[in-house]
Amino acid sequence: MKTRTFSFVECLVLLLLVAAASTVAIPHWTSDGMLRNERGAVEVLREIAEAQDLFHTRNATFAMMEELTGFRTGREVELIPPAFPSGAPEYGVIERDGYLFSVYLAAKDGEGALRLVDPDEEHAKTFWVAYAWPRHYGITGRSLYAINAQGEVFTWENSVNPFSSREARPPANLLGARLGKDHPLAKPPGWVERLSWTRVP
């Protein structure tokens, strides 16, 4: 009985077909994954807003990310059930599905308080902002998202010098005037005001 083997040409054709299918499928799969991550990032920002509302109801002040995850920061506040029970934030940043998240309160020095820094308690009663940006730009996502204390979500293309990774995170004042009237961080450098943010419905 003669066993049939594949010829070199047949193997080459098969290899070319697999390569062609990969060039179509892999970008589509990556694009779908990024889209899913980006939708998830918006949902997490809305969860942060809900947690902030609950925290504010109990404490008459807004929370830092550590407090939203159930960790004490030295402030005299009543913690709420952890909104993100996945562990302590690393330098005020948590990660979910390829996106990184940070919450800023206004600090006493006029900058953004990201973590274990004394926030300006007067402003912490009224103002906060949270950002979501991709862990790996172009792989886990592209867009940058922000939510202000009014619960408005905005997105920015994030394509020029993109924010990506824990080290390259957005500054507290990146949302600029969209932070809200009289927000202590709403007077950023001029280049920030030129960013074209789009409201997310």
Side-chain angles (χ1 to χ4, degrees):
M1 176 182 246
K2 190 173 179 184
T3 306
R4 186 181 185 306
T5 58
F6 291 103
S7 71
F8 175 74
V9 173
E10 289 172 322
C11 288
L12 192 58
V13 167
L14 181 63
L15 191 61
L16 288 172
L17 287 172
V18 169
S22 297
T23 59
V24 172
I26 289 175
H28 181 69
W29 174 77
T30 304
S31 177
D32 281 353
M34 285 194 296
L35 193 58
R36 193 170 40 255
N37 290 348
E38 289 173 351
R39 275 195 232 111
V42 171
E43 290 308 310
V44 171
L45 286 176
R46 290 189 168 129
E47 288 173 26
I48 288 172
E50 288 175 16
Q52 286 285 31
D53 287 344
L54 177 59
F55 191 91
H56 193 274
T57 300
R58 293 192 183 178
N59 296 289
T61 188
F62 288 114
M64 303 185 82
M65 186 62 86
E66 281 86 352
E67 293 162 335
L68 292 179
T69 54
F71 292 87
R72 295 215 168 268
T73 60
R75 296 201 302 162
E76 295 296 322
V77 293
E78 177 189 345
L79 295 179
I80 61 172
F84 308 99
S86 55
E90 186 178 329
Y91 298 103
V93 176
I94 62 167
E95 183 172 353
R96 280 279 184 87
D97 300 324
Y99 261 75
L100 300 166
F101 301 85
S102 63
V103 171
Y104 288 96
L105 302 179
K108 290 177 181 173
D109 62 4
E111 297 296 319
L114 179 64
R115 59 185 294 266
L116 307 182
V117 177
D118 287 337
D120 180 321
E121 290 300 340
E122 200 53 42
H123 284 134
K125 295 175 183 176
T126 315
F127 303 111
W128 64 274
V129 62
Y131 293 99
W133 67 101
R135 177 75 172 94
H136 300 287
Y137 181 81
I139 298 171
T140 61
R142 286 196 176 91
S143 297
L144 183 140
Y145 297 92
I147 189 167
N148 61 18
Q150 292 75 42
E152 299 169 314
V153 180
F154 296 91
T155 184
W156 172 56
E157 191 178 285
N158 191 31
S159 59
V160 179
N161 297 323
F163 295 102
S164 181
S165 81
R166 289 178 188 276
E167 294 74 33
R169 63 174 158 244
N173 60 5
L174 190 66
L175 198 53
R178 292 160 200 83
L179 286 166
K181 189 174 183 281
D182 302 323
H183 195 293
L185 300 172
K187 297 177 181 69
W191 67 269
V192 168
E193 287 306 326
R194 291 191 294 274
L195 299 179
S196 54
W197 289 93
T198 305
R199 178 95 181 264
V200 176

